[in-house]
Amino acid sequence: MLHMNISYIKSTYKNRKKYINLLMAASVTGIVLLSACTPEISQDQNADFNAYTHELFCSEVSSDTINLHYTLRNPEDYGIAEPEVSLGSFEADPDAARASAENMRSSLQQFSREELNLQNRITYDILDYQIKSAERSSDYLLYEEPLGLVSGVQTQFPVILSEYRFYDRQDVENYLELMEMTGDYFDSLIKFEREKAEAGLFMADYALDTVMEQCRAFLDMGDGNYLYSTFADRIEDVNELTKEEKSDYIQDNALAVSDCIYPAYEKLIAAMEELRGRGKNDKGLAYLPGGVDYYEITVRRQTGSDRSVEEMEDLTRRQMTDDLEAMEQVLGITTEKAQEAAASMGRKSAEEILARLQDGITASFPEAPDTVLEVKYVPEEMEEHLSPAFYMIPAIDNTEENVIYINQAQMNDDLTLFTTLAHEGYPGHLYQTVYYESTDPDPIRSLMDFGGYVEGWATYAEMGSYYLTPLPKEQATLLQKNSSIILGLYALADMGIHYDGWSRMDTVAFFSNYGITDAETIERIYELIIGSPGNYLKYYIGYVEFLELKKDWAEERGENFSQREFHEAVLRVGPAPFKIVEDYMWETGE
């Protein structure tokens, strides 16, 4: 029987800078702004292309205040004047999406790709990929769900506010203004959800119950809400403010939470309750008109893989077979015994584990710049509703400040904490982010979200971390392969539910075949997959794509194969669709 770690049911995620706008806006917002830039081409293609992407970056990063603040600490260094404070809004305009994509394509095609240098060619190919993705997605904007069960606005918005850094007085003023805009922002979210309901695309009632529960948990924090305490902590670092001014701002923040944030959540709850029963489908996307086509588009976007869903199912089963065979080779050790050994690893603090991981990867991974990391903990009141851990991406001009949040309620044992910190820290998200930024990439790359690469890399890091624990190699192998298989099962269930049309009973039967029979656990998995299509594929397919790239690299290099060189090659390409990573890793690795 496979040993299931319940924390996988809520997979770890990285807090993206742009999640406030979410993907239904990403298909439109970025292209709308970017397409406004029409380059003037001279003889120096690379200089012109760099000027063009700089203008794209400045336009997109200024689209809303949170996007700008989380991306740049010093916008003026990039020639960006202080724009009007804005939270953005939720909109779905297919015609605008298609027109903008076409305008963007016309602008991009004015450059000769062959005359660009290596890094610019990578950026060119990624922009071209993004245009095609926007075109494919344009008819499905209302299928997107900003109130996702794993990382929806209702849970992420307060976290993003709580991590909004104050560097000076203006940041505090902007923050308070953003809080006052929350009502209008949530109104646009409510309008979007009503449009979904009119189109027959609203969520099922059981998903609605989870969203409502998450919203109420936030409201139930009352005077103990972390938006009060984190504001007081952050404002202490603003040296230009007097003690009296800080006190006044703390009072202003308290009023904004009670008068703006809480009422916005209460209005959202009331509006969603009015939509109860409007969900026409309580199963997967396969039961919606055009749902299979939308799932294929979603999976391609989520994973960055060019494989069809059927090919992903085959790839998953092949990898699971390899993992099972590796488990069988570890004779005389049961999963339960290995788990008992893991539980006795010895309690270490998060900081001690991160130090061990940092030291343990030096032989196989290129050196990353020194940086500062602060470990924080999810507020107890929100532990049930937030993921086991998440990494807050720093501004690209301030990568020395990093934050990882740990959800202590979902750290079941020492091994879970160890592998989670590998996923979020070293050599996972933090390491990948800081290393890539040290290569001085085109800033436009920081605004492109490739979840398959990013989460696939972090899962690859997590799986490798089992062998950095104090456990004997055989036990580490058994536990790592078990973990990989469990995640593979979730990936197959994701595809089965949304692409093949599995019912709840089909899902129960599927997991029962692998010895997983706890009805409550399977029910929770089913509902999370319904609420976040393709989410598990980011992690699993992304992870396996890295394994496939490593196989290709090892076959090509033969006796000269080096893990460190492979890691450096794919890290230097940076977040991108896997076909682009595959095409360019040979050049960046030379």
Side-chain angles (χ1 to χ4, degrees):
M1 179 183 292
L2 294 170
H3 178 85
M4 174 175 284
N5 185 337
I6 200 70
S7 68
Y8 262 121
I9 295 176
K10 278 193 170 183
S11 46
T12 53
Y13 67 90
K14 177 170 62 171
N15 241 336
R16 300 294 306 177
K17 302 169 194 142
K18 298 190 299 176
Y19 269 9
I20 289 297
N21 291 326
L22 295 179
L23 289 173
M24 86 312 209
S27 298
V28 181
T29 305
I31 301 299
V32 167
L33 290 169
L34 303 186
S35 65
C37 308
T38 303
E40 294 184 6
I41 308 301
S42 68
Q43 296 300 312
D44 191 342
Q45 288 277 314
N46 284 294
D48 291 338
F49 188 78
N50 290 335
Y52 173 56
T53 58
H54 178 77
E55 189 174 353
L56 299 183
F57 171 76
C58 292
S59 296
E60 169 64 2
V61 79
S62 303
S63 61
D64 68 78
T65 302
I66 286 181
N67 192 24
L68 176 62
H69 192 70
Y70 267 80
T71 306
L72 293 174
R73 175 173 179 170
N74 299 303
E76 62 275 8
D77 293 346
Y78 292 76
I80 299 174
E82 189 72 29
E84 182 179 349
V85 176
S86 169
L87 263 182
S89 62
F90 294 88
E91 297 177 359
D93 188 339
D95 292 336
R98 284 188 290 271
S100 298
E102 182 58 36
N103 290 340
M104 180 68 176
R105 182 183 302 283
S106 298
S107 297
L108 192 62
Q109 288 177 344
Q110 294 188 56
F111 296 98
S112 172
R113 178 184 176 279
E114 289 70 25
E115 295 182 38
L116 298 176
N117 60 34
L118 174 62
Q119 291 304 322
N120 282 342
R121 270 187 284 121
I122 295 175
T123 302
Y124 182 103
D125 288 350
I126 289 174
L127 288 171
D128 184 61
Y129 179 94
Q130 294 285 66
I131 293 166
K132 294 174 182 175
S133 179
E135 291 171 335
R136 287 192 294 265
S137 302
S138 60
D139 289 330
Y140 297 95
L141 300 182
L142 280 176
Y143 284 69
E144 300 288 350
E145 183 50 79
L147 296 173
L149 303 189
V150 176
S151 55
V153 171
Q154 71 279 9
T155 55
Q156 282 207 343
F157 184 66
V159 174
I160 289 174
L161 288 178
S162 72
E163 283 297 318
Y164 191 99
R165 294 179 181 270
F166 300 149
Y167 301 114
D168 54 32
R169 182 192 303 273
Q170 189 59 53
D171 289 335
V172 181
E173 294 281 353
N174 288 351
Y175 176 84
L176 293 171
E177 192 171 347
L178 288 170
M179 302 208 28
E180 293 174 0
M181 295 177 175
T182 304
D184 290 339
Y185 178 67
F186 272 43
D187 283 347
S188 74
L189 172 57
I190 291 168
K191 179 176 180 289
F192 183 82
E193 291 294 336
R194 286 171 176 161
E195 289 177 1
K196 285 174 63 70
E198 287 297 320
L201 300 173
F202 190 64
M203 68 184 74
D205 283 352
Y206 62 79
L208 179 62
D209 289 337
T210 300
V211 172
M212 304 279 269
E213 182 183 347
Q214 291 169 339
C215 291
R216 291 192 179 105
F218 175 73
L219 290 174
D220 288 346
M221 296 173 73
D223 293 340
N225 195 294
Y226 57 91
L227 290 181
Y228 295 119
S229 57
T230 57
F231 183 91
D233 291 340
R234 285 173 286 154
I235 204 168
E236 278 303 312
D237 295 331
V238 185
N239 296 325
E240 69 180 88
L241 298 178
T242 66
K243 184 176 180 179
E244 291 75 17
E245 287 174 324
K246 291 178 181 178
S247 178
D248 289 341
Y249 278 130
I250 289 172
Q251 291 300 315
D252 291 341
N253 174 70
L255 287 173
V257 173
S258 62
D259 294 351
C260 301
I261 303 296
Y262 282 171
Y265 269 84
E266 289 165 352
K267 186 173 182 180
L268 177 63
I269 289 173
M272 292 302 99
E273 189 61 45
E274 290 177 3
L275 294 175
R276 182 176 294 279
R278 298 286 298 276
K280 305 297 183 184
N281 175 38
D282 62 357
K283 297 180 182 179
L285 292 173
Y287 293 90
L288 289 177
V292 169
D293 292 339
Y294 169 67
Y295 184 68
E296 290 176 318
I297 291 169
T298 296
V299 164
R300 175 168 290 196
R301 186 183 63 206
Q302 292 265 42
T303 65
S305 173
D306 283 346
R307 301 178 196 267
S308 67
V309 175
E310 290 93 340
E311 289 170 335
M312 290 183 188
E313 289 175 327
D314 290 343
L315 180 66
T316 301
R317 292 191 175 93
R318 289 201 306 272
Q319 184 60 46
M320 289 173 61
T321 298
D322 290 346
D323 289 338
L324 285 167
E325 290 175 354
M327 292 176 74
E328 291 171 358
Q329 292 174 10
V330 184
L331 301 177
I333 301 176
T334 65
T335 307
E336 288 75 13
K337 287 182 179 179
Q339 196 67 29
E340 289 172 7
S344 62
M345 282 171 51
R347 175 62 66 179
K348 299 287 184 182
S349 70
E351 289 76 12
E352 289 174 314
I353 291 173
L354 286 162
R356 181 186 180 104
L357 286 165
Q358 227 177 327
D359 182 64
I361 67 173
T362 53
S364 299
F365 293 82
E367 184 177 358
D370 290 333
T371 191
V372 175
L373 169 62
E374 182 180 4
V375 177
K376 297 184 179 182
Y377 296 91
V378 169
E380 183 177 350
E381 296 84 352
M382 294 300 293
E383 287 177 341
E384 182 182 350
H385 306 289
L386 291 176
S387 292
F390 48 92
Y391 166 62
M392 302 292 294
I393 302 178
I396 62 175
D397 56 347
N398 190 36
T399 55
E400 64 272 15
E401 295 184 13
N402 296 269
V403 174
I404 290 176
Y405 271 89
I406 300 295
N407 188 338
Q408 296 184 91
Q410 300 194 44
M411 294 298 105
N412 300 326
D413 50 44
D414 299 330
L415 181 63
T416 300
L417 179 60
F418 192 98
T419 57
T420 297
L421 287 170
H423 183 112
E424 305 298 339
Y426 294 95
H429 287 318
L430 185 154
Y431 170 84
Q432 181 267 314
T433 298
V434 172
Y435 181 87
Y436 181 63
E437 288 300 333
S438 74
T439 66
D440 193 28
D442 190 318
I444 194 67
R445 295 285 302 276
S446 69
L447 301 182
M448 300 177 184
D449 182 19
F450 292 103
Y453 179 104
V454 172
E455 295 299 352
W457 172 266
T459 305
Y460 173 84
E462 177 184 340
M463 296 300 171
S465 73
Y466 283 85
Y467 305 99
L468 298 176
T469 68
L471 294 171
K473 183 179 178 181
E474 293 79 10
Q475 291 177 337
T477 298
L478 191 65
L479 292 168
Q480 184 266 306
K481 300 305 180 185
N482 179 81
S483 182
S484 177
I485 291 169
I486 293 296
L487 193 54
L489 291 177
Y490 295 163
L492 285 176
D494 195 310
M495 291 181 277
I497 290 167
H498 289 296
Y499 188 76
D500 298 319
W502 290 1
S503 66
R504 288 174 186 265
M505 292 308 299
D506 293 331
T507 307
V508 169
F510 168 74
F511 279 104
S512 296
N513 289 335
Y514 292 88
I516 299 170
T517 57
D518 183 89
E520 184 177 345
T521 296
I522 298 173
E523 181 83 1
R524 183 65 174 147
I525 294 170
Y526 182 86
E527 292 186 1
L528 281 172
I529 288 174
I530 292 289
S532 299
N535 180 63
Y536 286 116
L537 301 192
K538 283 189 300 188
Y539 297 84
Y540 188 78
I541 296 299
Y543 158 59
V544 178
E545 287 285 9
F546 274 111
L547 295 182
E548 294 295 298
L549 291 176
K550 185 191 279 190
K551 290 176 186 176
D552 292 343
W553 187 274
E555 183 177 349
E556 176 67 23
R557 292 293 191 260
E559 295 180 356
N560 295 321
F561 170 72
S562 162
Q563 290 233 51
R564 186 186 179 101
E565 289 179 0
F566 167 72
H567 293 150
E568 182 174 11
V570 295
L571 285 166
R572 291 187 71 83
V573 175
F578 281 103
K579 182 63 171 66
I580 292 177
V581 177
E582 180 183 13
D583 289 344
Y584 286 103
M585 67 180 185
W586 310 103
E587 295 178 76
T588 59
E590 292 178 352

